[in-house]
Amino acid sequence: MKNTSDHYAHTIVDYVKSVAIIDPSQTIPLDESLLEAGILDSFGIVEMLTFVESKFDLSIPDEDMTKDKLGSIRRMAQYVHQRKAG
Amino acid sequence: MSDVQICAKCVLPSTFPNITFNDNGVCSQCEAGEMTHLQKFNQRQRDEFQRIIGATKGKKPYDAIACYSGGKDSTYMLKMMVRDFGLNVLAFTLDNGFITEQSKSNIIKVVDILQVDHLFFKPSSQFMTRMYRQAIIGDLNKPRGNYYTRISDVCLSCISVVNTCAARLAMQNRAPMIFAGFTPGQIPRAVIKNNHLYYRQTYSLHQSHFQQQLGEEAGRYLNLPEDEYEMYQMSPFLVYERSEAFILDEIRELGWQYPEQLDGCTSNCALNVVGNICHEIIYGFHPYALELSKLIRKGLLARDEALQKLSLTVDEHVTQRAFVKLNITVDEVNQLNTRAA
């Protein structure tokens, strides 16, 4: 699974579970905005993007900061996968 | 509280959400370690921070708005802005009604020595009291989703007004940057562009929530004009990491003096202690435990110092005065532990 989109999604989920100040029984959705799902606040979203950039050694340009590209964990994982593959 | 375990490396307690401890008493957040490419990320942050200063400096009457609370961190930040970065700065202080006299005296001295233009903004005390009361007793900052607030409810409401004032001042003056003295434990990035992912969207969610809770008057302090002006939120302490001892040493020459009668986690605001007490009652952990733990992991604060900060008590009369000023009774405080449920 290493370096596949699923691998990246799994890593991001693990990160969210470890840092989100939430009830431990809360499920982390893959296809929903974590902001809208009430998992992270706006600070948490910025922190998660910081994690993605530093963990996967990427710099995300402003023009890619869109809901389409990064609006859920799955989209984020696909974005990382495409960037790493390209 | 005697059976609460504290991490052997940082100061996160066993009451912190989702935390676990290994056999050595080290918490899961310490165990997670650093991110793989953190060094490279930090270098990119430094480059970006310097690039933005270089690209924006000298193009407008004010290069930057400084959120200047009068505390030690923002005082040192102001000194850096003027003396290290050579910026033309408009500093402002939100007088929330709880800035100590010593802090006000520090502010006046420091802006004078640094020759910085400065504004005090004091919102209606009636509104601020209502906002703080609603933050503590009511639903102003009750978790809107499933997360808990990472700072105290009182601080969260106050910082919302500060951020709005800063953004308005930047828009009015076409200043390209807003500087704030957030520590590396308080904010994750050194540079945030105002159109960053969800920035505007979350801002408007926040705004409408405040207006629902506090009425139209909240708009006076929390609405942003329709303006596409782009600016950068700059947090220099993420790029230039400084220890508290270093900062205190650096600001002494500006005549800054440590105010008395404050809790260990603030150097300007007498309301902070109220936020700390209420947060601990509601959520079961100190609101500064997370931030201080991050500073410990970064080597910017010793664990013993952090424990001391968290345990430093304030004269009971001072705390009582703050509660009275907010019109909050002992009974209301005692009932807070039912709120997190």
Side-chain angles (χ1 to χ4, degrees):
Chain A
M1 191 172 84
K2 195 163 170 45
N3 298 340
T4 64
S5 183
D6 283 349
H7 161 72
Y8 295 126
H10 187 71
T11 308
I12 298 169
V13 168
D14 281 350
Y15 161 79
V16 173
K17 280 184 179 167
S18 71
V19 302
I21 311 176
I22 53 170
D23 186 319
S25 62
Q26 179 74 35
T27 311
I28 311 292
L30 288 178
D31 295 305
E32 241 182 293
S33 150
L34 296 186
L35 187 76
E36 285 162 14
I39 302 291
L40 296 176
D41 55 7
S42 54
F43 177 102
I45 296 287
V46 176
E47 199 170 41
M48 179 171 62
L49 289 167
T50 303
F51 167 80
V52 168
E53 285 186 299
S54 56
K55 179 76 184 174
F56 305 122
D57 193 20
L58 286 175
S59 178
I60 304 174
D62 280 342
E63 60 269 22
D64 287 353
M65 297 280 185
T66 63
K67 204 169 175 179
D68 252 7
K69 290 187 175 171
L70 301 166
S72 69
I73 290 180
R74 202 182 304 277
R75 284 176 189 211
M76 219 173 272
Q78 283 162 352
Y79 175 83
V80 174
H81 181 60
Q82 281 164 10
R83 288 282 308 271
K84 298 304 272 185
Chain B
M1 294 291 279
S2 59
D3 54 351
V4 172
Q5 183 179 357
I6 306 286
C7 172
K9 277 192 176 172
C10 70
V11 290
L12 284 179
S14 49
T15 47
F16 194 81
N18 287 346
I19 203 159
T20 54
F21 292 88
N22 68 14
D23 292 344
N24 298 319
V26 175
C27 79
S28 40
Q29 295 222 3
C30 283
E31 283 277 275
E34 286 205 339
M35 287 170 255
T36 324
H37 300 284
L38 190 62
Q39 301 286 345
K40 276 165 96 175
F41 174 78
N42 285 341
Q43 186 55 50
R44 281 204 302 268
Q45 284 213 108
R46 267 191 289 279
D47 294 345
E48 189 183 14
F49 189 90
Q50 285 158 1
R51 182 185 61 77
I52 285 162
I53 290 181
T56 57
K57 188 174 155 182
K59 297 198 169 142
K60 304 284 177 189
Y62 292 114
D63 299 312
I65 304 298
C67 301
Y68 183 36
S69 72
K72 59 180 168 50
D73 294 328
S74 63
T75 298
Y76 177 62
M77 176 193 78
L78 198 58
K79 184 180 171 185
M80 283 173 100
M81 291 174 77
V82 174
R83 298 214 176 141
D84 297 348
F85 308 143
L87 300 175
N88 280 327
V89 179
L90 172 60
F92 90 98
T93 304
L94 181 86
D95 183 352
N96 65 359
F98 291 85
I99 306 286
T100 66
E101 288 308 311
Q102 178 62 59
S103 299
K104 286 182 184 167
S105 156
N106 283 338
I107 290 167
I108 291 163
K109 261 188 284 190
V110 168
V111 295
D112 205 31
I113 289 174
L114 293 175
Q115 289 293 294
V116 165
D117 292 348
H118 175 259
L119 298 167
F120 270 114
F121 176 57
K122 189 174 189 315
S124 136
S125 56
Q126 197 187 23
F127 173 80
M128 293 301 271
T129 304
R130 203 154 57 83
M131 180 177 78
Y132 293 139
R133 248 194 80 85
Q134 192 70 358
I136 296 167
I137 306 294
D139 287 341
L140 188 63
N141 291 316
K142 194 169 181 182
R144 286 181 283 284
N146 302 300
Y147 57 84
Y148 302 101
T149 56
R150 62 188 73 233
I151 57 174
S152 80
D153 291 326
V154 165
C155 287
L156 188 62
S157 59
C158 201
I159 199 73
S160 302
V161 179
V162 172
N163 286 340
T164 311
C165 285
R168 280 181 183 173
L169 279 173
M171 286 173 180
Q172 283 162 11
N173 291 282
R174 288 321 203 215
M177 298 179 284
I178 297 170
F179 275 65
F182 293 122
T183 71
Q186 289 172 329
I187 197 157
R189 295 177 90 97
V191 177
I192 300 176
K193 204 174 178 184
N194 77 334
N195 64 352
H196 206 290
L197 180 68
Y198 302 141
Y199 178 90
R200 299 294 298 198
Q201 186 196 348
T202 56
Y203 199 90
S204 71
L205 280 172
H206 193 60
Q207 250 174 327
S208 64
H209 179 74
F210 266 60
Q211 270 182 292
Q212 276 168 20
Q213 295 287 321
L214 297 168
E216 288 301 309
E217 193 186 4
R220 212 158 82 209
Y221 306 105
L222 292 151
N223 281 359
L224 276 181
E226 286 297 323
D227 191 334
E228 296 300 313
Y229 186 63
E230 287 188 349
M231 54 206 155
Y232 295 93
Q233 283 185 270
M234 311 286 277
S235 299
F237 294 133
L238 273 80
V239 175
Y240 303 94
E241 294 184 345
R242 301 286 188 256
S243 69
E244 183 174 312
F246 178 90
I247 287 173
L248 288 173
D249 202 40
E250 281 285 312
I251 60 177
R252 202 167 294 130
E253 60 123 347
L254 302 175
W256 190 91
Q257 290 178 5
Y258 220 118
E260 292 179 347
Q261 300 288 5
L262 295 175
D263 69 90
C265 298
T266 180
S267 49
N268 70 313
C269 179
L271 182 58
N272 203 54
V273 65
V274 169
N276 295 347
I277 291 170
C278 296
H279 191 98
E280 281 206 85
I281 295 173
I282 298 168
Y283 304 107
F285 58 92
H286 195 292
Y288 283 84
L290 181 65
E291 170 193 338
L292 296 183
S293 293
K294 287 183 179 177
L295 292 179
I296 293 168
R297 285 184 215 115
K298 282 180 173 285
L300 294 169
L301 186 69
R303 183 173 178 273
D304 285 350
E305 286 176 80
L307 287 170
Q308 204 179 349
K309 279 177 177 295
L310 296 179
S311 62
L312 189 69
T313 53
V314 178
D315 186 300
E316 202 179 318
H317 297 292
V318 176
T319 312
Q320 282 307 321
R321 258 204 309 275
F323 275 114
V324 168
K325 206 166 161 181
L326 295 173
N327 198 21
I328 291 173
T329 64
V330 176
D331 277 353
E332 285 175 313
V333 175
N334 289 339
Q335 282 167 19
L336 287 175
N337 59 3
T338 59
R339 247 194 64 185

